[in-house]
Amino acid sequence: MDLVGACRAFVSVMERGSFTTGAAAARMSQPVASRRIAALEELFGERLFERTSRRATLSSFGRDMLPAARRLVQAADALLHEAETAKRKPWRLAVPHNCSTGSLARLIADAQEQEVILDLHTGTPAQRMELLRSQQVRAALITVPADEATWSVPLGLAGTAAAGARRVYLATLRAGRACPDPVRKVWIQPEDDVPHIRDPLTRLRDALGLRPVQLAIAADLTNAIAEVLRTSDLLLCSAAQADELGLDWRPIGEITLSRGYSLAAAMDVNSQHVQARLGSAISRCLGPATRTTTPHAVAAV
């Protein structure tokens, strides 16, 4: 039995003094309203309305039950209102600052199709973690090693000159002692200034005999791109990012690197539920990224 629906019919019929107009006001047919009120009377074992009048007149028992029925209907209406408000409340999510405007817009649009309103906050890996720790966002895409990631984005090197080979080998950047400055550099953007990407590149640089300055950490992405555009330097980035910037992209010959991402959520958020609804949209925004078969769980913050 739909107790709330029955009480709604009871209250509406009483307020309008008619089964017909009361049922219409409650957005149900007159027969449905009559059946629901009859079911309520059967449940209580007493009549709610006198049946001898043309108007819907409350019985003595009906007058006693009316206040409680009205409170139940009002509470149900308040609950429905809160549910609608909660669905419309923006869901704050921290995302990489190097995602393009177009990809972020598509993520918002894809989320709306899942009835999720996103409020995106962009930042570097460290900034995203701080946003989550300070509870300024409900969840954040954090950087993790590729073997621990839910989404993985392959990285390579991009520059203004088309590479003749299918891969770019860092060994080709090695300059002799007599080589004048400036030497060619590989720029690491802030998104990739994390140990599981920066440290393997640093070890490879040293193993190949490159100069320390040839692996440069960029203060920001814009200036790193500017250096690549005006010189023969290279930018560590994804293929999609290189395409957006109009740069020629190739994988690295000596090493395989990927950005790894997982969704870290606040204590009151089910991250796997969010991934199930927005996983494909997040994947498209990041790269596109390769998504693992089973999402990795991330400890709540």
Side-chain angles (χ1 to χ4, degrees):
M1 174 184 174
D2 179 3
L3 182 60
V4 173
C7 286
R8 190 181 301 280
F10 167 44
V11 171
S12 186
V13 168
M14 182 283 306
E15 289 176 343
R16 287 155 182 84
S18 165
F19 274 78
T20 301
T21 58
R27 298 183 179 181
M28 62 185 73
S29 67
Q30 187 271 331
V32 168
S34 296
R35 285 197 300 271
R36 288 183 174 181
I37 292 173
L40 199 59
E41 290 177 327
E42 183 178 354
L43 175 66
F44 295 150
E46 295 283 348
R47 286 192 176 275
L48 296 169
F49 289 97
E50 300 292 349
R51 297 299 198 269
T52 59
S53 173
R54 289 187 177 182
R55 290 182 53 82
T57 304
L58 286 176
S59 66
S60 175
F61 179 77
R63 285 192 295 272
D64 290 339
M65 296 303 299
L66 180 61
R70 184 178 280 123
R71 288 195 298 270
L72 178 60
V73 171
Q74 291 171 344
D77 289 341
L79 179 62
L80 292 173
H81 175 73
E82 289 297 325
E84 288 299 316
T85 301
K87 288 196 295 185
R88 292 193 299 269
K89 183 179 179 181
W91 208 84
R92 299 187 302 277
L93 174 66
V95 297
H97 69 116
N98 62 344
C99 291
S100 69
T101 301
S103 65
L104 294 177
R106 284 191 292 273
L107 174 58
I108 291 173
D110 289 342
Q112 287 177 342
E113 292 184 358
Q114 298 295 322
E115 298 184 345
V116 177
I117 300 176
L118 287 181
D119 178 13
L120 300 181
H121 296 249
T122 61
T124 65
Q127 289 170 340
R128 298 198 298 275
M129 283 300 299
E130 180 56 32
L131 286 170
L132 187 60
R133 289 194 187 100
S134 61
Q135 299 185 0
Q136 296 181 60
V137 297
R138 298 185 68 190
L141 289 171
I142 62 171
T143 57
V144 295
D147 59 355
E148 301 175 10
T150 302
W151 299 276
S152 183
V153 183
L155 294 175
L157 296 175
T160 55
R166 296 177 61 182
R167 294 178 176 272
V168 177
Y169 289 84
L170 291 183
T172 61
L173 306 184
R174 186 169 53 238
R177 293 183 178 180
C179 178
D181 289 331
V183 291
R184 294 181 72 190
K185 298 178 181 178
V186 171
W187 288 93
I188 297 179
Q189 54 185 291
E191 184 63 23
D192 300 319
D193 186 16
V194 290
H196 56 272
I197 294 177
R198 180 189 62 243
D199 293 353
L201 273 177
T202 301
R203 291 191 293 269
L204 179 61
R205 176 202 64 189
D206 296 341
L208 294 175
L210 303 183
R211 300 179 187 181
V213 297
Q214 288 187 268
L215 189 61
I217 307 296
D220 59 77
L221 178 58
T222 301
N223 282 298
I225 296 169
E227 289 299 311
V228 172
L229 291 176
R230 75 176 187 86
T231 68
S232 60
D233 290 352
L234 300 170
L235 176 69
L236 182 69
C237 63
S238 67
Q241 194 175 19
D243 184 63
E244 178 194 352
L245 298 171
L247 300 175
D248 183 73
W249 185 91
R250 294 289 186 275
I252 304 173
E254 297 97 341
I255 193 172
T256 299
L257 294 174
S258 295
R259 289 176 188 148
Y261 293 99
S262 287
L263 188 70
M267 291 292 293
D268 63 337
V269 177
N270 185 337
S271 62
Q272 292 191 357
H273 174 69
V274 175
Q275 287 174 187
R277 298 183 69 180
L278 299 181
S280 297
I282 291 173
S283 178
R284 287 190 292 272
C285 179
L286 291 174
T290 301
R291 189 179 182 189
T292 57
T293 302
T294 304
H296 289 268
V298 179
V301 176

